């Protein structure tokens, strides 16, 4: 995981420890499921560079796209529910903390399925537990948090087979309760960075039962 080139500047709401640990988990899943190029990172923000992959990115925010291009990344401005790519163009698709921002989350998944080649792989992550909704969610543009069963249903309706599911970010659960009380916990999250990275490596190999985030690996038959 340490060989990953970090070209993503985390947005103001994402503590660095959280960002690095999430990146670790996705990297482990890519390797475990032998993901192939080309890889499309949907909602990529200002950009990730996944080593060993031919990466394209899309994001709906003009500033994020400009920052990514400034780093030499192949990123274009586009919405997740209207991708400007041909059917079957990619072997791997990432939707990392994107669906909760979409009015039509099913359409976004259907678009990811459309641009994915047969036998391709998708990795999806979302925030869990609507009961933990707070002003933090509103500040970062979330429209919802998810029940795991809803994500399973959406993936099936979009045409994916669910290959793996796990939860992650157990330390974030008490933090989410503190956020509901209006407390800023970002600096505290960074202190848990090493623990969250260890948890990420475990979550990539064994389905964990608790965590503030849910991760799914989907396959296109």
């Amino acid at each position: 995981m340490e060989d990953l080139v970090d070209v993503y500047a985390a947005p103001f709401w994402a503590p660095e420890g959280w960002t690095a640990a999430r990146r670790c988990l996705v990297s482990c899943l890519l390797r475990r499921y032998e993901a192939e190029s080309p890889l499309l990172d949907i909602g990529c923000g200002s950009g990730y560079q996944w080593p060993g992959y031919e990466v394209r990115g899309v994001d709906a925010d003009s500033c994020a796209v400009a920052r990514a291009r400034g780093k030499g990344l192949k990123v274009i401005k586009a919405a997740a529910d209207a991708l400007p790519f041909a059917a079957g163009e990619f072997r791997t698709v990432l939707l990392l903390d994107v669906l909760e921002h979409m009015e039509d989350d099913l359409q976004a998944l259907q678009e990811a399925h459309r641009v994915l080649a047969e036998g391709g792989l998708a990795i999806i992550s979302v925030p869990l537990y609507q009961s933990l909704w707070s002003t933090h969610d509103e500040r970062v543009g979330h429209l919802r948090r998810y029940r795991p069963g809803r994500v399973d249903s959406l993936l099936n309706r979009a045409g994916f087979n669910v290959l793996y599911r796990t939860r992650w970010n157990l330390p974030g659960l008490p933090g989410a309760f503190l956020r509901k009380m209006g407390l800023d916990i970002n600096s505290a999250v960074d202190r848990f960075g090493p623990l969250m990275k260890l948890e990420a490596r475990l979550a990539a190999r064994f389905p964990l039962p608790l965590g503030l985030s849910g991760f799914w690996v989907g396959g296109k038959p």
Side-chain angles (χ1 to χ4, degrees):
M1 278 59 70
E2 302 302 327
D3 60 344
L4 187 66
V5 179
D6 183 5
V7 298
Y8 176 70
F12 71 92
W13 51 267
E16 292 290 348
W18 179 92
T19 302
R22 185 186 73 160
R23 190 170 60 238
C24 173
L25 174 49
V26 175
S27 297
C28 288
L29 290 172
L30 289 171
R31 282 193 279 269
R32 175 180 174 182
Y33 286 91
E34 300 179 347
E36 299 177 356
S37 293
L39 180 153
L40 178 63
D41 193 347
I42 301 172
C44 64
S46 57
Y48 289 89
Q49 181 61 58
W50 303 99
Y53 294 95
E54 175 192 343
V55 179
R56 298 285 302 277
V58 298
D59 199 274
D61 183 81
S62 298
C63 293
V65 171
R67 290 174 65 188
R69 288 177 176 172
K71 298 167 184 174
L73 299 174
K74 296 179 179 179
V75 176
I76 63 175
K77 183 178 179 180
D81 55 1
L83 298 173
F85 301 109
E89 189 168 342
F90 297 92
R91 295 290 305 171
T92 304
V93 169
L94 304 180
L95 275 161
L96 305 177
D97 294 283
V98 172
L99 295 180
E100 64 271 20
H101 298 273
M102 305 300 301
E103 290 282 355
D104 192 339
D105 48 7
L106 177 59
Q107 175 64 25
L109 283 172
Q110 289 172 333
E111 274 291 272
H113 185 272
R114 181 184 66 80
V115 302
L116 194 61
E118 290 185 6
L121 192 76
I123 298 177
I124 300 100
S125 67
V126 297
L128 299 178
Y129 311 117
Q130 184 66 26
S131 61
L132 294 178
W133 183 269
S134 70
T135 55
H136 169 76
D137 292 283
E138 297 171 2
R139 184 162 60 102
V140 301
H142 291 176
L143 300 179
R144 69 190 72 83
R145 302 181 73 89
Y146 284 85
R147 292 180 295 102
R150 176 177 177 179
V151 180
D152 286 339
S153 176
L154 287 170
L155 286 169
N156 289 331
R157 290 170 63 191
F160 288 102
N161 290 336
V162 175
L163 306 178
Y164 184 73
R165 63 176 69 81
T166 188
R167 300 185 193 183
W168 170 74
N169 193 10
L170 181 60
L173 287 174
F177 284 103
L178 293 176
R179 274 186 169 140
K180 283 183 71 71
M181 299 169 60
L183 300 178
D184 183 355
I185 64 167
N186 281 4
S187 59
V189 170
D190 277 334
R191 297 174 187 172
F192 285 101
L195 176 61
M196 294 169 70
K197 188 172 284 190
L198 174 61
E199 181 194 17
R201 293 188 176 104
L202 291 173
R205 295 189 61 84
F206 308 103
L208 301 184
L210 291 174
L212 193 59
S213 295
F215 279 76
W216 283 258
V217 179
K220 180 172 180 176

